[in-house]
Amino acid sequence: MAPKLFTTFFVGAILFLGALDAVAQKRAKKPALVKKSVNIAELPKAAEPEPSTPTEPEPAKKNNRTNGTDVGSAAVPKNSAYTHFYEFTQPDFAIKSIKIRHDEAGKGDIVFLKAGADEAITDPILLSVTTLEKIRSILAELDFINSTENYQHERDFSHLGNAKFTLNSAGRTRTTQINYTEIKPAKALMDEYRRIGNQYIWFFDMTVARENQPLDAPRLMSAFDGYLRRDEISDPPQMLPLLAQLSNDERIPLIARNHAEKLIKQIEKQANKEKK
């Protein structure tokens, strides 16, 4: 029995080893999994959208350069006879020079040069009835065209800037130059033209900002607020239409639009107070 059992065991072992060898050969023939690197440039491109049918472009927004009443709304007539001339110069100021000229109706222009600028800016102006009445009242009080009085203080204050005013009236011309005076009507005249300069330079700066630099609008609105508090604007109600436009102009930041609404209420309140 022993030899028979040994033979049976030997045959079984051979069959088992043969089965293991077959399985091993089968596994060896199976290809190994290899990760392939991807080149972005070889990725298929997304389908390009069909070209849309061209539409008519929206009309460009016009810059009317007007605040709805008079400021900047009229170009200077070519043959306009200017009668009032104001000039202020101080090379060390932010605005180095300001020149204002206009006729009896208030039509004219303002020319100003900012520090650091190579060229002066010229912009049309049209003074309001309120501003013209103040100027006429002051000139009448001074009897400017007939007077020979020297308004300049005995001391020189050129560091404050030199102001010069010329009036042409009835074929006569008179010019006076002041950097400081204690004569109230003469000071009031120069102060009024300074307010005119503030008003129209601010108008120009805000017009540029709303079209090209809207983020500058909040700063300019704060500057205008300061002018109002210091009584440095010639005719605040004249600026109401522009402020109304700014309060609804989505090109400028919301804080500037809200500030414009606040200033409108402030100006209207002051105007109503002065009427009473």
Side-chain angles (χ1 to χ4, degrees), residues 21-197:
D21 183 64
V23 172
Q25 291 180 6
K26 186 177 181 180
R27 289 182 175 179
K29 292 180 181 179
K30 186 176 180 181
L33 182 61
V34 179
K35 290 184 179 181
K36 184 179 180 181
S37 61
V38 179
N39 187 343
I40 295 178
E42 295 176 356
L43 292 176
K45 296 181 180 180
E48 295 184 0
E50 293 293 330
S52 58
T53 304
T55 57
E56 292 293 328
E58 294 184 2
K61 294 183 179 179
K62 296 181 179 180
N63 172 24
N64 294 326
R65 298 300 307 280
T66 174
N67 67 3
T69 47
D70 286 334
V71 175
S73 62
V76 180
K78 292 182 179 180
N79 298 322
S80 176
Y82 296 117
T83 53
H84 298 63
F85 300 82
Y86 168 83
E87 181 177 352
F88 176 84
T89 56
Q90 215 311 352
D92 296 328
F93 283 7
I95 306 294
K96 299 172 65 174
S97 68
I98 302 173
K99 296 179 181 179
I100 299 171
R101 57 182 185 175
H102 61 87
D103 60 16
E104 290 288 352
K107 291 182 180 180
D109 60 19
I110 180 171
V111 182
F112 58 94
L113 178 64
K114 293 185 176 183
D118 296 327
E119 297 181 358
I121 296 170
T122 302
D123 218 33
I125 65 173
L126 184 54
L127 305 184
S128 68
V129 172
T130 300
T131 298
L132 287 174
E133 287 180 348
K134 286 191 287 185
I135 293 173
R136 289 168 183 158
S137 176
I138 295 170
L139 291 174
E141 183 177 357
L142 289 170
D143 191 18
F144 184 82
I145 200 67
N146 298 312
S147 175
T148 58
E149 184 175 2
N150 179 16
Y151 307 124
Q152 170 62 36
H153 192 273
E154 59 183 10
R155 292 182 58 188
D156 182 51
F157 292 88
S158 297
H159 64 283
L160 300 176
N162 292 300
K164 182 169 67 175
F165 178 76
T166 298
L167 177 65
N168 292 337
S169 178
R172 300 174 62 188
T173 300
R174 186 190 175 204
T175 298
T176 186
Q177 185 164 323
I178 303 171
N179 54 52
Y180 179 76
T181 182
E182 292 183 342
I183 300 174
K184 291 183 178 180
K187 182 178 183 302
L189 180 66
M190 300 306 175
D191 287 346
E192 190 58 37
Y193 275 96
R194 186 182 69 254
R195 294 186 185 100
I196 294 170

Side-chain angles (χ1 to χ4, degrees), residues 201-271:
I201 292 173
W202 184 89
F203 173 81
F204 174 86
D205 288 342
M206 179 55 80
T207 301
V208 172
R210 70 189 295 202
E211 294 175 357
N212 303 309
Q213 297 173 313
L215 295 181
D216 205 26
R219 179 189 66 81
L220 288 170
M221 208 66 71
S222 295
F224 188 79
D225 194 342
Y227 282 144
L228 289 179
R229 285 186 278 103
R230 298 190 301 271
D231 189 25
E232 290 291 334
I233 293 293
S234 177
D235 187 12
Q238 191 182 18
M239 305 299 285
L240 287 174
L242 173 61
L243 291 172
Q245 291 177 15
L246 294 171
S247 68
N248 294 302
D249 192 341
E250 295 185 355
R251 292 175 295 178
I252 65 177
L254 178 60
I255 188 173
R257 302 201 299 270
N258 290 340
H259 203 163
E261 290 183 356
K262 177 183 176 182
L263 294 176
I264 290 172
K265 295 178 181 178
Q266 181 179 333
I267 293 172
E268 290 178 339
K269 181 179 179 181
Q270 182 62 30

